[in-house]
Amino acid sequence: MSVLDEPLFFSPAPLPASPRAARVTLVGAGPGDPELLTVRAERALRRASLVLYDHLVSRDVLRLVPEGADLIYVGKESAHHTLPQEDICALMIRLARSGRALVRLKGGDPFIFGRGGEEAQALAAAGVPFEVVPGISAAQAAAAEAGMPLTHRDHAASVVLATGHRRSEAGVLDMDWAALARPRQTVVIYMGVSTLASICAQLTAHGLGADTPAALVERASQPDSRRVVGSLRTLPGLAVLHAVRSPALLIVGGVVGLHATLAAPARCALAGQPG
Ligand code: SAH
């Protein structure tokens, strides 16, 4: 048989769906503003009769769910897990197998942090049919509103999305600092508010100048969104001064400096200039 007789693409064998399992729709709720939902996400919410949602999903997005639908809060504020992840997966599987179509609503994009990937794996392993509706991730919302084009060609050839929450067994931040501190790269760190000072210190220790522009964008796209702009040296102090709280994103790199000309007017202005 010639090489060309072989199929060029392989699809995985379909998983045996349990006979009665209803579909789960893993929906990205975006960063908070309902206008940033995809059309498909909005349609799924307007038709939903059962929704499992996380801590980061905004009230305004939940308001799109029809009255009379069941809304189940499964939490997930770091350190205050309302339901452990395995229980969330088990609950979804049980509900789907009982024949109830459900929407699993997650902040931002389901596949960017927030464990949507693990939920999809659990559903696949259980043979429950599911669909993923992407959402606008916090990085995109923060970049747009704070005027920081993540890959502006004058400043960055790549963008890295990382978590500031991953600790090694010894309790130190477990990150590839040398890779994060590369020049001409934008670094976006999710869940990094509580570890901000050590992130900034490590990036500096691994080669980024202390005057590299750095910003925090808190509650991007929400009416009370705030931002603080400074440098790797000044940002930790500014964050304390302004009591920046989660959910907020850390953005580091030359593109942060573009905010002065490109930012939308801050809804809740905060001071700070790179330097
Ligand atoms: N799946 C989500 C991320 C979940 S991890 C997404 O794609 O956006 C949770 C982290 O996301 C928070 O700690 C924070 O760093 C960030 N985040 C989520 N919503 C945010 C918002 N509206 N503004 C700023 N950061 C946000």
Side-chain angles (χ1 to χ4, degrees):
M1 164 161 89
S2 82
V3 180
L4 284 178
D5 289 328
E6 293 176 15
L8 291 175
F9 298 104
F10 299 88
S11 11
L15 282 159
S18 96
R20 292 184 309 127
R23 172 181 289 270
V24 174
T25 313
L26 264 169
V27 174
D33 181 346
E35 296 215 327
L36 293 180
L37 283 166
T38 64
V39 174
R40 194 178 295 178
E42 183 182 356
R43 192 184 304 138
L45 288 177
R46 289 194 187 281
R47 289 179 180 166
S49 67
L50 173 59
V51 178
L52 267 64
Y53 68 99
D54 278 350
H55 158 65
L56 277 175
V57 174
S58 75
R59 297 274 131 204
D60 288 342
V61 166
L62 288 175
R63 274 192 258 280
L64 296 172
V65 175
E67 244 173 76
D70 293 318
L71 284 174
I72 303 178
Y73 175 64
V74 290
K76 268 318 209 64
E77 222 170 330
S78 56
H80 298 275
H81 289 206
T82 302
L83 269 191
Q85 187 63 47
E86 315 78 72
D87 293 1
I88 296 175
C89 293
L91 178 63
M92 280 195 302
I93 291 165
R94 203 170 66 229
L95 288 166
R97 284 188 172 153
S98 75
R100 290 204 65 182
L102 67 100
V103 167
R104 172 69 176 110
L105 191 57
K106 302 187 70 71
D109 180 86
F111 280 0
I112 296 187
F113 301 116
R115 305 230 191 157
E118 282 156 71
E119 294 181 14
Q121 282 178 310
L123 293 169
V128 171
F130 67 93
E131 177 196 359
V132 181
V133 179
I136 291 195
S137 191
Q140 294 157 298
E145 132 183 341
M148 300 169 188
L150 297 176
T151 58
H152 191 295
R153 55 188 262 159
D154 292 344
H155 300 274
S158 60
V159 58
V160 178
L161 307 183
T163 166
H165 218 72
R166 206 179 139 103
R167 289 181 186 280
S168 69
E169 279 175 12
V172 293
L173 276 179
D174 183 15
M175 302 166 85
D176 184 347
W177 295 111
L180 290 175
R182 280 203 193 114
R184 294 188 49 74
Q185 175 169 271
T186 305
V187 177
V188 181
I189 299 197
Y190 289 68
M191 297 170 277
V193 176
S194 61
T195 48
L196 177 69
S198 61
I199 293 170
C200 291
Q202 289 286 359
L203 290 175
T204 312
H206 285 79
L208 285 185
D211 57 353
T212 304
L216 282 168
V217 183
E218 184 189 83
R219 300 179 65 77
S221 91
Q222 315 236 9
D224 52 354
S225 163
R226 302 191 300 167
R227 67 188 81 122
V228 191
V229 182
S231 64
L232 287 176
R233 178 176 34 238
T234 62
L235 196 66
L238 289 169
V240 172
L241 185 67
H242 296 290
V244 174
R245 274 195 295 275
S246 181
L249 272 190
L250 169 63
I251 306 181
V252 179
V255 300
V256 170
L258 300 177
H259 86 103
T261 44
L262 301 182
R267 295 181 228 202
C268 298
L270 281 183
Q273 283 300 314

Coordinates of all heavy atoms in Angstrom, one line a residue, residues 90-141:
A90 N -18.0 14.7 39.4 CA -19.0 13.6 39.7 C -20.4 14.1 39.6 O -21.3 13.4 39.1 CB -18.7 13.0 41.1
L91 N -20.7 15.3 40.1 CA -22.0 15.9 40.1 C -22.5 16.1 38.6 O -23.6 15.7 38.3 CB -22.0 17.2 40.8 CG -23.3 18.0 40.8 CD1 -24.4 17.2 41.6 CD2 -23.1 19.3 41.5
M92 N -21.6 16.6 37.8 CA -22.0 16.8 36.4 C -22.3 15.5 35.7 O -23.3 15.4 35.0 CB -20.8 17.4 35.6 CG -20.6 18.9 35.8 SD -19.5 19.5 34.5 CE -18.0 18.6 34.8
I93 N -21.5 14.5 36.0 CA -21.7 13.2 35.4 C -23.1 12.6 35.9 O -23.9 12.1 35.1 CB -20.5 12.2 35.7 CG1 -19.3 12.8 34.9 CG2 -20.9 10.8 35.3 CD1 -18.0 12.2 35.4
R94 N -23.3 12.7 37.2 CA -24.5 12.2 37.7 C -25.8 12.8 37.1 O -26.7 12.2 36.7 CB -24.5 12.3 39.2 CG -25.5 11.3 39.9 CD -25.3 11.3 41.4 NE -25.7 12.5 41.9 CZ -25.0 13.3 42.8 NH1 -23.9 12.8 43.2 NH2 -25.5 14.4 43.3
L95 N -25.7 14.2 37.0 CA -26.8 14.9 36.5 C -27.1 14.6 35.0 O -28.2 14.4 34.6 CB -26.6 16.4 36.6 CG -26.7 17.0 38.1 CD1 -26.2 18.4 38.2 CD2 -28.2 16.9 38.5
A96 N -26.0 14.5 34.3 CA -26.1 14.2 32.8 C -26.7 12.8 32.7 O -27.6 12.5 31.8 CB -24.8 14.3 32.1
R97 N -26.2 11.9 33.5 CA -26.7 10.5 33.4 C -28.2 10.4 33.8 O -28.9 9.4 33.4 CB -25.9 9.5 34.2 CG -24.6 9.2 33.5 CD -23.8 8.2 34.2 NE -22.6 7.8 33.4 CZ -21.6 7.3 34.0 NH1 -21.5 7.1 35.3 NH2 -20.5 6.9 33.2
S98 N -28.6 11.3 34.6 CA -30.0 11.3 35.0 C -30.9 11.9 33.9 O -32.1 12.0 34.0 CB -30.2 12.0 36.3 OG -30.2 13.4 36.1
G99 N -30.2 12.3 32.8 CA -31.0 12.7 31.6 C -31.2 14.2 31.6 O -31.8 14.8 30.7
R100 N -30.5 15.0 32.5 CA -30.7 16.5 32.5 C -29.6 17.1 31.7 O -28.4 17.1 32.1 CB -30.7 17.0 33.9 CG -32.0 16.6 34.6 CD -32.3 17.5 35.7 NE -32.6 18.8 35.2 CZ -32.9 19.9 36.0 NH1 -32.9 19.7 37.3 NH2 -33.2 21.1 35.5
A101 N -29.9 17.8 30.6 CA -28.9 18.6 29.9 C -28.5 19.7 30.8 O -29.3 20.4 31.4 CB -29.5 19.2 28.6
L102 N -27.2 19.9 30.8 CA -26.7 21.0 31.7 C -25.7 21.9 31.1 O -24.9 21.4 30.2 CB -26.3 20.4 33.1 CG -25.0 19.6 33.1 CD1 -23.9 20.4 33.6 CD2 -25.3 18.5 34.1
V103 N -25.7 23.1 31.6 CA -24.6 24.1 31.1 C -23.6 24.2 32.3 O -24.0 24.5 33.4 CB -25.3 25.4 30.8 CG1 -24.2 26.5 30.7 CG2 -26.1 25.4 29.5
R104 N -22.4 23.9 32.0 CA -21.3 24.1 33.0 C -20.7 25.5 32.6 O -20.0 25.6 31.6 CB -20.3 23.0 32.9 CG -19.1 23.2 33.7 CD -19.5 23.1 35.2 NE -18.3 23.2 36.0 CZ -18.0 24.2 36.8 NH1 -18.8 25.3 36.8 NH2 -16.9 24.3 37.5
L105 N -20.9 26.5 33.4 CA -20.5 27.8 33.1 C -19.2 28.2 33.9 O -19.2 28.2 35.1 CB -21.7 28.8 33.5 CG -21.6 30.2 33.1 CD1 -21.5 30.3 31.5 CD2 -22.9 30.9 33.5
K106 N -18.2 28.6 33.1 CA -16.9 28.9 33.8 C -16.4 30.2 33.3 O -16.6 30.6 32.2 CB -15.9 27.8 33.3 CG -16.3 26.4 33.7 CD -15.2 25.4 33.5 CE -14.1 25.5 34.4 NZ -14.3 25.1 35.8
G107 N -15.8 31.0 34.2 CA -15.3 32.3 33.9 C -14.3 32.3 32.8 O -13.6 31.3 32.6
G108 N -14.3 33.3 32.0 CA -13.3 33.4 30.9 C -13.5 32.4 29.8 O -14.6 32.1 29.4
D109 N -12.4 31.7 29.5 CA -12.5 30.6 28.5 C -12.3 29.3 29.4 O -11.5 29.2 30.2 CB -11.3 30.7 27.5 CG -11.3 29.5 26.6 OD1 -12.1 29.7 25.6 OD2 -10.7 28.5 26.8
P110 N -13.2 28.3 29.0 CA -13.1 27.1 29.8 C -11.8 26.4 29.8 O -11.4 25.7 30.8 CB -14.2 26.2 29.2 CG -15.0 27.0 28.3 CD -14.2 28.2 28.0
F111 N -11.0 26.6 28.8 CA -9.7 25.8 28.6 C -8.5 26.7 29.0 O -7.4 26.3 28.7 CB -9.6 25.3 27.2 CG -10.4 24.0 27.0 CD1 -11.1 23.4 28.0 CD2 -10.4 23.3 25.7 CE1 -11.8 22.2 27.8 CE2 -11.1 22.1 25.5 CZ -11.8 21.6 26.6
I112 N -8.7 27.8 29.5 CA -7.5 28.6 30.0 C -7.6 28.7 31.5 O -8.5 29.4 32.1 CB -7.5 30.0 29.4 CG1 -7.3 29.8 27.9 CG2 -6.4 30.8 30.0 CD1 -7.0 31.0 27.1
F113 N -6.8 28.0 32.2 CA -6.8 27.8 33.6 C -8.2 27.4 34.1 O -9.0 27.0 33.3 CB -6.2 29.0 34.4 CG -4.8 29.2 33.9 CD1 -4.4 30.3 33.3 CD2 -3.8 28.2 34.2 CE1 -3.1 30.5 32.8 CE2 -2.5 28.4 33.7 CZ -2.2 29.5 33.1
G114 N -8.5 27.5 35.3 CA -9.9 27.2 35.8 C -10.3 25.7 35.6 O -11.5 25.4 35.8
R115 N -9.5 24.8 35.2 CA -9.7 23.4 35.2 C -10.8 22.9 34.3 O -11.4 21.8 34.5 CB -10.1 23.0 36.6 CG -9.0 23.4 37.6 CD -8.7 22.2 38.4 NE -7.9 22.4 39.6 CZ -7.9 21.6 40.6 NH1 -8.6 20.6 40.7 NH2 -7.1 21.8 41.6
G116 N -11.2 23.6 33.2 CA -12.1 23.1 32.3 C -11.6 21.9 31.6 O -12.4 21.0 31.2
G117 N -10.3 21.8 31.4 CA -9.7 20.7 30.7 C -10.0 19.4 31.5 O -10.3 18.3 30.9
E118 N -9.8 19.5 32.8 CA -10.0 18.3 33.6 C -11.5 17.9 33.6 O -11.8 16.7 33.6 CB -9.6 18.6 35.1 CG -8.1 18.6 35.3 CD -7.7 19.4 36.4 OE1 -7.9 19.0 37.6 OE2 -7.1 20.5 36.2
E119 N -12.4 18.9 33.6 CA -13.8 18.5 33.5 C -14.1 17.8 32.2 O -14.9 16.9 32.2 CB -14.7 19.8 33.8 CG -14.4 20.3 35.2 CD -15.2 21.5 35.5 OE1 -16.2 21.9 34.8 OE2 -14.9 22.2 36.6
A120 N -13.6 18.3 31.1 CA -13.8 17.7 29.8 C -13.3 16.3 29.9 O -13.9 15.3 29.3 CB -13.2 18.5 28.7
Q121 N -12.1 16.1 30.4 CA -11.5 14.7 30.5 C -12.4 13.8 31.3 O -12.6 12.6 31.0 CB -10.2 14.8 31.2 CG -9.1 15.3 30.3 CD -7.7 15.3 31.0 OE1 -7.7 15.9 32.1 NE2 -6.7 14.7 30.5
A122 N -13.0 14.3 32.4 CA -13.8 13.5 33.3 C -15.1 13.1 32.5 O -15.5 11.9 32.5 CB -14.2 14.2 34.5
L123 N -15.6 14.0 31.7 CA -16.9 13.7 31.0 C -16.5 12.7 29.9 O -17.3 11.7 29.6 CB -17.4 15.0 30.3 CG -17.9 16.0 31.3 CD1 -18.2 17.4 30.6 CD2 -19.2 15.5 32.0
A124 N -15.4 12.9 29.2 CA -15.0 12.0 28.1 C -14.8 10.6 28.7 O -15.3 9.6 28.1 CB -13.7 12.5 27.5
A125 N -14.2 10.5 29.9 CA -13.9 9.2 30.5 C -15.2 8.5 30.9 O -15.3 7.3 30.9 CB -13.0 9.4 31.7
A126 N -16.2 9.3 31.2 CA -17.5 8.7 31.7 C -18.4 8.5 30.5 O -19.5 8.0 30.6 CB -18.2 9.7 32.6
G127 N -18.0 8.9 29.3 CA -18.8 8.7 28.1 C -20.0 9.6 28.0 O -21.0 9.3 27.4
V128 N -19.9 10.7 28.7 CA -21.0 11.7 28.6 C -20.7 12.7 27.5 O -19.6 13.3 27.4 CB -21.0 12.5 30.0 CG1 -22.0 13.7 29.9 CG2 -21.4 11.6 31.1
P129 N -21.6 12.9 26.6 CA -21.3 13.8 25.4 C -21.3 15.2 25.9 O -22.0 15.6 26.8 CB -22.6 13.6 24.5 CG -23.6 13.0 25.3 CD -23.0 12.3 26.5
F130 N -20.3 15.9 25.4 CA -20.2 17.3 25.8 C -19.7 18.2 24.6 O -19.2 17.7 23.6 CB -19.2 17.5 26.9 CG -17.8 17.1 26.6 CD1 -16.9 18.1 26.2 CD2 -17.3 15.8 26.6 CE1 -15.6 17.8 25.8 CE2 -16.0 15.5 26.3 CZ -15.2 16.5 25.9
E131 N -19.9 19.5 24.8 CA -19.5 20.5 23.8 C -18.8 21.6 24.5 O -19.2 21.9 25.7 CB -20.8 21.0 23.1 CG -20.5 22.1 22.0 CD -21.8 22.8 21.6 OE1 -22.9 22.5 22.2 OE2 -21.6 23.8 20.8
V132 N -17.8 22.2 23.9 CA -17.1 23.3 24.6 C -17.4 24.6 23.8 O -17.2 24.7 22.6 CB -15.6 23.1 24.6 CG1 -14.9 24.3 25.3 CG2 -15.3 21.8 25.3
V133 N -17.9 25.6 24.5 CA -18.1 26.9 23.9 C -17.0 27.9 24.4 O -17.0 28.2 25.6 CB -19.5 27.5 24.2 CG1 -19.7 28.8 23.6 CG2 -20.6 26.5 23.8
P134 N -16.1 28.3 23.5 CA -15.0 29.2 24.0 C -15.5 30.5 24.6 O -16.6 31.0 24.2 CB -14.2 29.4 22.8 CG -15.0 29.1 21.6 CD -16.1 28.2 22.1
G135 N -14.7 31.1 25.4 CA -15.1 32.4 25.9 C -13.9 33.4 25.8 O -12.7 32.9 25.6
I136 N -14.2 34.6 26.0 CA -13.1 35.6 26.0 C -12.4 35.5 27.4 O -13.0 35.6 28.4 CB -13.6 37.0 25.8 CG1 -14.1 37.1 24.4 CG2 -12.5 38.1 26.1 CD1 -14.4 38.5 23.9
S137 N -11.1 35.2 27.3 CA -10.3 35.0 28.5 C -10.0 36.4 29.1 O -9.9 37.4 28.4 CB -9.0 34.3 28.2 OG -8.4 33.9 29.4
A138 N -9.7 36.4 30.4 CA -9.3 37.6 31.1 C -8.2 38.4 30.4 O -8.2 39.6 30.4 CB -9.0 37.3 32.6
A139 N -7.2 37.6 29.9 CA -6.1 38.3 29.3 C -6.5 39.2 28.1 O -6.0 40.3 27.9 CB -5.1 37.2 28.8
Q140 N -7.5 38.7 27.3 CA -7.9 39.4 26.2 C -8.7 40.6 26.6 O -8.6 41.7 26.0 CB -8.7 38.5 25.2 CG -7.9 37.4 24.6 CD -8.8 36.3 24.2 OE1 -9.4 35.6 25.1 NE2 -8.8 36.0 23.0
A141 N -9.6 40.4 27.6 CA -10.4 41.6 28.1 C -9.5 42.6 28.7 O -9.7 43.8 28.4 CB -11.4 41.0 29.1

